[in-house]
Amino acid sequence: MAQFRKDCQRVYVRTVARPYRKRRKARKDAKCAILKSELLETDADLKREAAVIKRLCARFKCEAIKLPIHQRLDYALTRKGIVQAFVEIKVRTVASTTFDTAMIALDKVIAARQVAHATKKPVLLAIQWTDKLMFVDFAAGFSTKLGGRTDRNIMTDYGLVAHYNIGDFKEIK
């Protein structure tokens, strides 16, 4: 992994102490795209996430703590320093009415359900569509299909995915 970091133009390293630290390196090969896609987020992604988590915290009257990338979830929601729930945030560029289901990688669902089982705390999937912000508990039922992105030519963007019905989501006004 260290070799990939040397080859990438921009590598965003998230740590607890410095969640937005940047490094600039020369980009040389397609392995960078895989590393960036799987492990790292851009400044724009983090700003969109921050806007969503601010609304969620206002709705649930809690504070948010950004989790390290190896935790597989974006935030822990706390009250008085005690974790109440976890949340994974997605920002979509389409309206919530465009599709009947919301698609997310199955390995993300499995990781979220493991956290929920181990901690006995809810794990939420919050999705900001162009028209509204909605959330669903990862424990809700879903269907499994093969799918994902193919436009970036990254192998790990395509695979088993979970489809949550839009009707199961609750809107945050």
Side-chain angles (χ1 to χ4, degrees):
M1 181 144 21
Q3 181 60 40
F4 293 157
R5 288 194 175 134
K6 289 179 184 175
D7 296 339
C8 292
Q9 180 180 11
R10 274 189 180 175
V11 175
Y12 297 86
V13 180
R14 293 193 317 176
T15 64
V16 174
R18 303 180 97 200
Y20 304 107
R21 188 175 65 190
K22 282 195 236 181
R23 293 181 190 166
R24 292 178 183 265
K25 299 288 179 180
R27 182 179 184 153
K28 294 187 178 177
D29 60 336
K31 290 178 185 174
C32 295
I34 293 170
L35 176 70
K36 204 170 178 184
S37 171
E38 287 182 346
L39 302 177
L40 308 169
E41 298 168 321
T42 65
D43 280 336
D45 294 334
L46 295 171
K47 285 178 185 174
R48 286 188 290 269
E49 256 185 28
V52 171
I53 199 65
K54 189 175 183 179
R55 287 183 62 196
L56 285 171
C57 286
R59 161 68 167 81
F60 294 118
K61 296 175 179 60
C62 63
E63 297 83 39
I65 298 173
K66 182 78 170 158
L67 295 174
I69 199 156
H70 68 273
Q71 294 293 319
R72 302 278 310 185
L73 298 170
D74 291 324
Y75 290 90
L77 302 179
T78 65
R79 284 191 193 120
K80 297 180 182 177
I82 299 169
V83 174
Q84 303 295 317
F86 300 92
V87 66
E88 173 66 20
I89 297 174
K90 297 293 179 189
V91 178
R92 302 292 190 222
T93 58
V94 297
S96 61
T97 55
T98 306
F99 301 103
D100 295 333
T101 62
M103 181 176 66
I104 186 163
L106 185 61
D107 61 334
K108 181 73 77 170
V109 175
I110 292 167
R113 286 182 169 206
Q114 286 176 338
V115 169
H117 178 73
T119 63
K120 306 291 189 253
K121 306 286 183 190
V123 181
L124 307 175
L125 169 61
I127 301 180
Q128 174 67 63
W129 281 285
T130 56
D131 59 339
K132 58 180 88 170
L133 172 60
M134 300 175 83
F135 71 94
V136 69
D137 194 318
F138 270 106
F142 62 88
S143 60
T144 306
K145 298 179 182 175
L146 193 60
R149 292 183 70 164
T150 58
D151 59 328
R152 299 189 295 187
N153 293 324
I154 298 173
M155 261 181 20
T156 56
D157 278 354
Y158 190 83
L160 291 173
V161 293
H163 286 265
Y164 285 93
N165 288 323
I166 299 298
D168 294 340
F169 282 77
K170 295 175 186 162
E171 184 176 358
I172 295 179
K173 305 235 180 200

